[in-house]
């Protein structure tokens, strides 16, 4: 019984292999077309590309024969060969066929690598090659391949359609898996060029070796460590099936990855267990005009299908299931048939045969005489084929009309799995829905378009942080059970929580202690941590070791110093508004104006007339000085010339007083707020000893100092912790330091009120999250950070942690002018007023001398009177008092009574 079934199967196989003999005879004429098809001879796994294309090629020639389309009165014959996808086989078959007949054209071959061999050969012999499936973009070069044409669109267009899909779905990057031949390499190159045009990224490429029929490298680690989750598989259906089977075993299909195929695959070759993993894949392939409701030649198509069903019904899959490349094959054959017919109709010169070769029988030495005329006809040919409008140009091998693509979506149904058309592309409409009811099912049986990036949902992240206020700080919190625990607060913990909510990762946070920033960065590079979330500056040196996210905090550098609470102000700072030369010039002007005024007014002005020369000089100087300072004097000019001098003094006063007042206020204010340096330029210029500048070791600040200030010399004061910077400034260990502006603004506003910032911001930079190079979650992290920035959330965080100003709330420094700044003014006042007092005393010297003399004589007289009154021999009731002759003294009654009482008692 078993042997009977084997015989039946053998008969069916033989009949299948001999199917081409069922067609009408192909050797009706020695004018023939060659059809090259990629299957292996006697293969039990014939592909639809090869079987359907050969059937439609034979249908085209048979239809021409039945329609009496002749060349030189002869029907066109054909020969078809299975090439096994090898260009040498195709070349050998073509060469052998030339020995037996006049070959006027080649339909095919099916693969680009074969066309690269056949096309130069056809150019040497002078007949055209029209491929129905070779899509390598390099074949579009008319100068390199003058005999080559194709009815299938170039992969250059396919690459553009895929790039536009990425733009439509907001995907940014992909991984390409391609077969290592002309088709695969050309497609990969075309996609890369198209992605560059649309600012997209090919993050990695993987080679499928067609010799070993395996992927180079291990598929799973390559894909899972990459951030891209869109895979473009650029391979023919046979190789694509092998790759997908490997991907299924490695578990790198859906729902983690979205795959885009360049060829329709046989879904029946996969185990139904894997159907959920295949669900959601996309297939992008060229199609005929009928798929996009564009016009096609239905008459020719129906006739061709009728012939196919008549002569080879066992391979006809039904009109809806015919491979699109088969229709391209029909149009390729029909293009040459009609071109040859037109060639012979127009070739009337000398009545010579239009189909004629010169040379010997060896194929490489033969040459088609009318090749130029035939190529010109093909270039100008324009007609409506079964795939759409057919037209070519002189400068390209590609058809320039009737180009369309379809995107099929592999969807899971109750009865199985199938590729469903969901979108179509054309030059006129770009990508559009295939129908109003088209729905795309994405991997994981989801209706939500995938992001194209690796998801962090449910992933445990090892996060390193470092303590620096206000970015990351430690506080204590007590839970409901009364247990006190340390808690991290600040800008960075808040940012981590915001990202956790958006992306769904599980944070495992470690507070690093006694490590510099560079040491933690090295730890991330060694895979001790997944990410480092801190105020880490993005620098070129660091990006050589690790990767950085987009900016999480816009930063710059500032210089921090101590506040000078006792400013050193000169005692005579009030004189600084004018230079010494200006002061002497002003004095000279005052003397000159006084002399001039005295000269003019001395004889007429009542205040000066009849005065001594010294008095006139003094009053004149008083007048000029009083007028200059704007105070004025107690007398006025009486002559016209004197008034003119007064006007000049007023003008001088107007300008000088205003300038002095403004400059004095400015100088005193500046002197009050003067710091030891004004900013980074003073540090660069050496105004401070470099050993008095504290620099945090192992940080981007050290890199900046060595690069921009010291020229690589470590002449600074090394500091290991930020706290040492503040302590060093307050304890006068260092005079200045360079730090991030965000940190400094916080500490000077809220913690160290005796420290201050000087100068402007410099060296703009950005803080980023640190991760390993090539981290697969880089893109999704950047997208979420960008989302927080666009929503204003990062700005809200900055306001929350950096806008508080405790120092300004507890007490502002008084802006009133201190006594120290005016000591010199009071000294000057004292000196001048003392000079005036001395002058007054000098003028009254005689009066003072007489007063002193009289005072002394009075003291002597009082002494004599006292002696006289106390004498024992006083008996008379009357007392005689001698007084100086020049004074008139009258005895008062009180004195008399007192003396009488004293005498009586005695």
């Amino acid at each position: 019984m078993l042997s009977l079934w084997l015989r039946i199967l053998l008969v069916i196989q033989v009949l299948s292999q001999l199917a081409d003999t069922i067609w009408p005879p192909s050797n009706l004429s020695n004018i023939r077309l060659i059809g090259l098809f990629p299957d292996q001879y006697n293969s039990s796994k014939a592909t639809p590309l090869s079987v359907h294309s050969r059937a439609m090629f034979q249908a085209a020639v048979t239809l021409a024969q039945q329609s009496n389309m002749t060349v030189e009165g002869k029907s066109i014959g054909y020969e078809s060969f299975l090439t096994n996808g090898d260009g040498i086989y195709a070349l050998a078959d073509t060469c052998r066929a030339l020995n037996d007949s006049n070959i006027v054209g080649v339909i095919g071959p099916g693969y680009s690598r074969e066309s690269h061999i056949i096309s130069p050969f056809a150019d040497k012999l002078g007949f055209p090659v029209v491929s129905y499936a070779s899509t390598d973009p390099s074949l579009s070069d008319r100068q390199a391949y003058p005999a080559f044409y194709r009815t299938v669109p170039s992969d250059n267009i396919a690459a553009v359609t895929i790039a536009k899909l990425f733009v439509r779905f907001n995907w940014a990057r992909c991984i390409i898996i391609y077969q290592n031949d002309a088709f695969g390499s050309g497609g990969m190159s075309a996609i890369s060029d198209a992605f560059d045009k649309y600012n997209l990224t090919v993050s990695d490429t993987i080679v499928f070796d067609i010799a070993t029929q395996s992927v180079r490298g291990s598929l799973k680690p390559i894909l899972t460590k990459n951030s891209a989750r869109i895979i473009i598989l650029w391979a023919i259906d046979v190789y694509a099936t092998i790759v997908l089977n490997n991907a299924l075993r490695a578990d790198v299909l859906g729902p983690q990855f979205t795959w885009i195929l360049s060829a329709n695959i046989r879904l029946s070759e996969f185990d139904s267990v894997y159907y959920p993993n295949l669900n959601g894949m996309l297939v992008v392939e060229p199609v005929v005009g009928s798929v996009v409701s564009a016009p096609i030649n239905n008459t020719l198509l129906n006739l061709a299908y009728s012939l196919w069903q008549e002569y080879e019904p066992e391979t006809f899959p039904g009109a809806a299931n015919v491979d699109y490349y088969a229709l391209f094959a029909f149009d390729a054959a029909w293009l040459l048939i009609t071109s040859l017919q037109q060639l012979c109709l127009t070739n009337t010169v000398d009545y010579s045969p239009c189909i004629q070769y010169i040379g010997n029988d060896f194929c490489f030495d033969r040459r088609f005489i009318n090749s130029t005329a035939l190529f010109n006809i093909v270039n100008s040919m324009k007609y409506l084929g079964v795939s759409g409008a057919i037209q070519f140009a002189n400068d390209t091998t590609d058809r320039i009309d009737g180009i369309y693509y379809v995107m099929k979506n592999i969807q899971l149904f109750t009865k199985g799995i199938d590729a469903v058309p969901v979108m179509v592309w054309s030059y006129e409409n770009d990508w559009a829905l295939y129908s109003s009811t088209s729905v795309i099912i994405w991997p994981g049986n989801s209706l939500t378009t995938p992001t194209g990036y690796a998801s962090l949902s449910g992933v445990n992240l090892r996060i390193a942080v470092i303590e620096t206020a206000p970015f990351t700080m430690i506080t204590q919190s007590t839970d409901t059970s009364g247990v006190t625990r340390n808690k991290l607060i600040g800008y960075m913990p808040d940012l981590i929580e915001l990202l956790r909510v958006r992306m769904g990762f599980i944070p495992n946070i470690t507070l690093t202690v006694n490590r510099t920033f560079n040491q933690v960065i090295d730890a991330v590079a060694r895979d001790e941590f997944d990410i480092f979330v801190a105020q880490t500056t993005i620098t070129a040196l660091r990006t050589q070791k690790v990767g950085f996210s987009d900016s999480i905090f816009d930063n710059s550098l500032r210089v921090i110093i101590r506040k000078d609470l006792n400013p050193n102000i000169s005692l005579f700072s009030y004189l600084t508004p004018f230079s010494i030369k200006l002061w002497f010039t002003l004095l000279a002007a005052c003397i000159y104006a006084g002399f001039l005024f005295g000269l003019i007014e001395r004889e007429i002005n009542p205040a000066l007339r009849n005065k001594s020369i010294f008095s006139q000089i003094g009053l004149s100087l008083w007048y000029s000085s009083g007028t200059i300072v704007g105070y004025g004097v107690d007398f006025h000019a009486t002559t016209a010339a004197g008034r003119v001098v007064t006007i000049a003094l007023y003008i001088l006063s107007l300008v000088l007083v205003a300038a002095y007042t403004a400059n004095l206020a400015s100088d005193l204010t500046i002197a009050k707020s003067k710091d030891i340096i004004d900013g980074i330029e003073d540090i660069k210029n050496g105004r401070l000893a470099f050993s008095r500048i504290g620099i945090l070791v192992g940080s981007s600040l050290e890199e900046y100092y060595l690069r921009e200030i010291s020229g690589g010399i470590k002449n600074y004061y090394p500091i290991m912790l930020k706290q040492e910077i503040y302590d060093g400034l307050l304890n006068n260990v260092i005079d200045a330091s360079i730090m991030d502006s965000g940190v400094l603004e916080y500490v000077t506003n809220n913690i160290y009120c005796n420290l201050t910032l000087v100068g402007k911001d410099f060296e703009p930079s950005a803080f980023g999250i640190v991760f390993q190079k090539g981290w697969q979650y880089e893109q999704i992290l950047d997208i979420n950070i960008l989302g927080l920035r666009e929503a204003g959330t990062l700005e809200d965080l900055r306001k929350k942690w950096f806008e508080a100003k405790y120092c300004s709330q507890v007490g502002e420094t008084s802006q009133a002018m201190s006594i120290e700044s005016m000591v010199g003014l009071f000294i000057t006042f004292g000196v001048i007023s003392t000079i005036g007092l001395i002058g007054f005393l000098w003028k009254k010297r005689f009066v003072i001398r007489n007063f002193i003399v009289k005072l002394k004589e009075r003291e002597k007289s009082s002494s004599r009177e006292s002696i006289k009154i106390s004498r024992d021999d006083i008996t008379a009731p009357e007392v005689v008092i001698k007084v100086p002759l020049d004074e008139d003294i009258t005895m008062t009654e009180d004195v008399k009574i007192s003396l009488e009482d004293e005498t009586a008692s005695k």
Side-chain angles (χ1 to χ4, degrees):
M1 185 67 179
L2 180 61
S3 60
L4 176 62
W5 281 109
L6 289 175
R7 291 193 187 95
I8 294 174
L9 289 174
L10 181 61
V11 171
I12 293 174
Q13 183 175 357
V14 171
L15 290 175
S16 176
Q17 293 173 359
L18 298 175
D20 59 340
T21 61
I22 301 176
W23 289 85
S26 61
N27 56 354
L28 297 178
S29 169
N30 68 337
I31 301 173
R32 298 178 187 176
L33 298 177
I34 290 180
L36 300 176
F37 306 99
D39 274 350
Q40 183 178 358
Y41 185 70
N42 287 336
S43 171
S44 60
K45 291 185 178 181
T47 62
L49 168 65
S50 185
V51 173
H52 294 188
S53 299
R54 183 173 59 171
M56 288 298 284
F57 161 67
Q58 294 174 156
V61 179
T62 302
L63 181 60
Q65 293 172 354
Q66 293 181 355
S67 302
N68 294 320
M69 298 176 66
T70 61
V71 176
E72 293 184 337
K74 300 177 182 178
S75 297
I76 299 176
Y78 68 91
E79 291 187 55
S80 60
F81 299 98
L82 299 178
T83 65
N84 193 28
D86 193 324
I88 298 300
Y89 287 178
L91 179 62
D93 289 336
T94 305
C95 187
R96 280 193 296 268
L98 278 165
N99 294 329
D100 301 328
S101 59
N102 290 329
I103 302 300
V104 290
V106 173
I107 306 305
Y111 295 154
S112 296
R113 59 178 179 268
E114 299 173 295
S115 294
H116 281 285
I117 297 175
I118 292 295
S119 296
F121 174 69
D123 178 44
K124 178 174 175 45
L125 273 64
F127 59 78
V129 173
V130 186
S131 178
Y132 53 87
S134 297
T135 58
D136 178 15
S138 64
L139 291 169
S140 298
D141 188 349
R142 172 61 68 202
Q143 298 298 321
Y145 302 97
F148 183 76
Y149 298 85
R150 54 183 163 196
T151 53
V152 64
S154 164
D155 283 339
N156 276 326
I157 304 174
V160 171
T161 64
I162 291 176
K164 289 186 175 182
L165 272 181
F166 272 65
V167 173
R168 181 185 182 96
F169 295 129
N170 292 320
W171 297 330
R173 57 178 52 206
C174 75
I175 301 172
I176 301 177
I177 303 176
Y178 67 97
Q179 63 187 59
N180 61 337
D181 64 355
F183 165 71
S185 300
M188 185 273 295
S189 178
I191 293 173
S192 298
D193 292 342
F195 272 38
D196 288 341
K197 180 180 178 181
Y198 289 93
N199 295 321
L200 305 172
T201 303
V202 177
S203 60
D204 202 356
T205 56
I206 303 172
V207 175
F208 175 82
D209 193 333
I210 60 177
T212 61
Q213 296 195 359
S214 62
V215 173
R216 292 179 182 174
S218 182
L219 198 57
K220 184 167 186 175
I222 295 175
L223 296 185
T224 54
K225 289 185 178 181
N226 198 293
S227 61
R229 287 298 182 265
I230 309 297
I231 314 298
I232 298 177
L233 177 54
W234 203 261
I236 62 174
D237 54 350
V238 177
Y239 301 147
T241 302
I242 297 174
V243 173
L244 288 176
N245 275 314
N246 288 337
L248 285 169
R249 289 191 292 270
D251 192 24
V252 287
L253 287 179
Q256 300 179 61
F257 296 88
T258 301
W259 288 63
I260 301 176
L261 313 182
S262 64
N264 233 341
I265 57 174
R266 296 184 185 181
L267 297 173
S268 57
E269 294 191 7
F270 295 91
D271 194 315
S272 59
V273 175
Y274 295 120
Y275 283 175
N277 301 96
L278 300 174
N279 187 32
M281 288 197 308
L282 305 176
V283 181
V284 176
E285 60 177 344
V287 294
V288 297
S290 58
V291 177
V292 297
S293 301
I296 64 170
N297 196 326
N298 284 297
T299 303
L300 280 179
L301 183 60
N302 291 332
L303 289 173
Y305 283 168
S306 297
L307 292 173
W308 186 357
Q309 292 178 77
E310 178 182 353
Y311 295 113
E312 198 175 320
E314 68 277 8
T315 62
F316 185 68
N321 298 317
V322 174
D323 194 284
Y324 298 130
Y325 293 101
L327 276 64
F328 296 138
F330 181 94
D331 279 340
W334 201 253
L335 172 68
L336 289 187
I337 291 170
T338 53
S339 297
L340 288 168
Q341 190 179 31
Q342 185 174 340
L343 172 68
C344 292
L345 290 175
T346 56
N347 185 37
T348 57
V349 180
D350 297 331
Y351 301 99
S352 61
C354 64
I355 306 299
Q356 184 179 1
Y357 276 85
I358 58 173
N360 57 37
D361 292 337
F362 182 57
C363 63
F364 279 90
D365 294 333
R366 303 186 69 185
R367 178 72 183 176
F368 182 59
I369 294 178
N370 291 322
S371 61
T372 302
L374 179 58
F375 287 140
N376 289 336
I377 292 173
V378 175
N379 288 338
S380 60
M381 186 62 64
K382 182 179 181 180
Y383 71 97
L384 187 63
V386 298
S387 64
I390 300 293
Q391 185 178 1
F392 289 90
N394 293 324
D395 58 348
T396 180
T397 66
D398 300 328
R399 67 190 290 179
I400 59 175
D401 201 0
I403 300 174
Y404 313 101
Y405 282 84
V406 67
M407 185 180 80
K408 295 180 179 179
N409 183 210
I410 297 179
Q411 298 181 5
L412 184 63
F413 299 94
T414 350
K415 296 182 179 179
I417 196 168
D418 196 10
V420 180
V422 288
M423 298 187 74
V424 292
W425 181 92
S426 65
Y427 278 123
E428 294 79 12
N429 300 319
D430 208 336
W431 282 109
L433 290 177
Y434 179 75
S435 68
S436 59
T437 58
S438 296
V439 176
I440 302 177
I441 304 298
W442 298 104
N445 207 35
S446 172
L447 295 176
T448 303
T449 304
T451 62
Y453 303 107
S455 173
L456 273 168
S457 178
V459 176
N460 280 281
L461 280 188
R462 299 165 298 167
I463 304 173
V465 297
I466 198 165
E467 184 180 7
T468 301
F471 288 103
T472 302
M473 300 176 288
I474 301 176
T475 187
Q476 291 185 335
S477 62
T478 304
D479 57 21
T480 54
S481 59
V483 178
T484 301
R485 293 185 175 88
N486 289 334
K487 180 182 178 182
L488 296 178
I489 61 171
Y491 185 96
M492 295 304 172
D494 283 1
L495 176 61
I496 293 172
E497 178 60 18
L498 288 170
L499 292 173
R500 184 198 67 79
V501 172
R502 291 175 69 99
M503 293 187 285
F505 60 80
I506 303 170
N508 183 8
I509 302 176
T510 300
L511 180 65
T512 57
V513 181
N514 297 328
R515 285 193 185 188
T516 66
F517 276 75
N518 286 340
Q519 288 172 340
V520 181
I521 289 172
D522 291 338
V524 173
R526 294 191 302 267
D527 199 30
E528 292 182 26
F529 303 102
D530 293 316
I531 58 176
F532 176 31
V533 185
Q535 64 281 13
T536 313
T537 305
I538 303 171
T539 66
L541 187 62
R542 288 172 172 176
T543 53
Q544 296 176 7
K545 297 188 291 185
V546 293
F548 283 90
S549 70
D550 283 346
S551 173
I552 57 174
F553 191 93
D554 296 330
N555 184 54
S556 58
L557 301 182
R558 292 289 298 273
V559 176
I560 184 173
I561 63 173
R562 286 182 304 279
K563 284 183 180 179
D564 191 354
L565 301 180
N566 297 303
N568 184 19
I569 300 177
S570 171
L571 294 179
F572 296 96
S573 58
Y574 74 94
L575 296 176
T576 58
F578 291 165
S579 66
I580 295 176
K581 290 183 179 179
L582 182 56
W583 279 116
F584 279 110
T585 303
L586 181 59
L587 178 61
C590 180
I591 294 173
Y592 166 75
F595 173 78
L596 187 61
F597 183 82
L599 181 64
I600 294 171
E601 296 280 332
R602 60 188 296 269
E603 295 180 352
I604 300 175
N605 197 306
L608 302 178
R609 192 173 58 240
N610 301 324
K611 297 290 177 64
S612 67
I613 187 64
F614 294 106
S615 296
Q616 290 179 349
I617 292 173
L619 289 172
S620 298
L621 291 176
W622 161 247
Y623 182 84
S624 64
S625 61
T627 305
I628 287 176
V629 299
Y631 174 75
V633 293
D634 54 353
F635 62 94
H636 304 285
T638 58
T639 66
R643 294 187 182 97
V644 171
V645 174
T646 303
I647 291 173
L649 290 172
Y650 283 157
I651 294 174
L652 196 62
S653 170
L654 178 66
V655 176
L656 289 176
V657 171
Y660 178 84
T661 303
N663 287 343
L664 178 63
S666 175
D667 289 347
L668 291 178
T669 303
I670 292 174
K672 178 183 176 181
S673 60
K674 189 68 174 177
D675 295 312
I676 55 174
I677 56 174
D678 293 329
I680 188 63
E681 293 302 323
D682 287 346
I683 290 180
K684 291 181 178 180
N685 295 332
R687 281 192 58 184
L688 281 180
F690 293 122
S691 60
R692 299 283 296 175
I693 301 171
I695 298 297
L696 191 64
V697 176
S699 67
S700 62
L701 307 171
E702 182 184 30
E703 295 177 19
Y704 172 80
Y705 182 90
L706 295 174
R707 184 180 69 250
E708 300 292 337
I709 298 177
S710 69
I713 302 173
K714 295 184 177 182
N715 54 6
Y716 52 81
Y717 187 92
I719 290 177
M720 301 304 298
L721 300 173
K722 279 189 171 66
Q723 185 60 45
E724 295 178 19
I725 292 178
Y726 312 133
D727 295 340
L729 288 169
L730 295 173
N731 298 328
N732 201 27
V733 176
I734 58 175
D735 292 326
S737 183
I738 301 171
M739 292 180 64
D740 298 318
S741 60
V743 176
L744 292 184
E745 288 172 5
Y746 178 81
V747 298
T748 55
N749 286 335
N750 297 275
I751 302 176
Y752 300 104
C753 302
N754 290 338
L755 302 179
T756 187
L757 307 182
V758 293
K760 296 181 180 179
D761 293 13
F762 58 94
E763 194 70 8
S765 60
F767 295 155
I769 295 176
V770 182
F771 42 73
Q772 283 185 313
K773 274 186 170 297
W775 194 47
Q776 64 266 40
Y777 305 109
E778 174 183 355
Q779 297 303 315
I780 194 66
L781 178 62
D782 282 343
I783 289 174
N784 282 276
I785 290 174
L786 182 60
L788 292 175
R789 180 178 291 276
E790 290 177 347
T793 308
L794 293 184
E795 184 60 27
D796 293 340
L797 276 185
R798 187 175 190 130
K799 291 178 181 178
K800 174 182 177 181
W801 292 104
F802 289 90
E803 283 197 351
K805 292 185 179 181
Y806 173 79
C807 290
S808 62
Q809 292 171 356
V810 296
E812 294 285 351
T813 302
S814 173
Q815 298 298 317
M817 198 68 71
S818 62
I819 184 63
E820 290 82 0
S821 63
M822 288 295 154
V823 167
L825 180 63
F826 287 104
I827 291 175
T828 303
F829 168 76
V831 170
I832 294 175
S833 61
T834 301
I835 292 173
L837 177 62
I838 292 172
F840 170 77
L841 294 176
W842 175 255
K843 185 175 181 181
K844 297 294 184 179
R845 64 186 184 279
F846 298 107
V847 176
I848 296 172
R849 186 185 63 182
N850 292 336
F851 176 77
I852 294 174
V853 171
K854 290 178 182 180
L855 185 60
K856 289 181 178 180
E857 291 179 352
R858 182 175 297 176
E859 290 178 352
K860 290 179 181 180
S861 298
S862 299
S863 298
R864 289 196 297 269
E865 292 295 330
S866 299
I867 294 172
K868 185 177 181 179
I869 294 173
S870 61
R871 289 176 180 174
D872 295 334
D873 57 347
I874 296 178
T875 57
E878 295 182 358
V879 178
V880 179
I881 300 176
K882 294 182 179 180
V883 296
L885 296 176
D886 56 345
E887 293 188 13
D888 187 11
I889 299 177
T890 303
M891 183 77 68
T892 64
E893 294 295 330
D894 292 337
V895 173
K896 290 180 180 181
I897 295 171
S898 176
L899 291 176
E900 291 175 354
D901 291 340
E902 185 177 351
T903 302
S905 63
K906 288 183 178 182

